Amino acid sequence: MRQFVIKSFETIVWIFGALVAAAGVIIGLMAVANGQAQGILFIIGGPLYAILLMGMFFIAISISDNTRRTAEAVEKLAARGQ
């Protein structure tokens, strides 16, 4: 059940990141089409923001995965030592 929740969260992070990046590009293109030069910042900044946001979530997911693997390794070592 725990792995299902983590995998589901990972999928949600991918979807959310794609939506944030797409929204930034679309809003930027709309701004440029209206003659606003700052739309270029949205075109560049939207995907960068999505990458940073997704990176933070994936760091949290990897910390959880590393903690689980470390606990399993310690349990194996403890069982071997008895």
Side-chain angles (χ1 to χ4, degrees), residues 14-47:
W14 276 108
I15 292 170
F16 182 71
L19 289 175
V20 168
V25 171
I26 290 170
I27 291 170
L29 290 174
M30 288 173 36
V32 169
N34 287 331
Q36 298 174 344
Q38 64 264 30
I40 295 171
L41 296 176
F42 274 95
I43 293 172
I44 296 169

Side-chain angles (χ1 to χ4, degrees), residues 39-66:
I40 295 171
L41 296 176
F42 274 95
I43 293 172
I44 296 169
L48 286 177
Y49 177 73
I51 290 169
L52 290 173
L53 188 67
M54 290 172 58
M56 286 186 282
F57 280 118
F58 284 128
I59 286 172
I61 291 171
S62 67
I63 288 171
S64 170
D65 186 45
N66 286 341

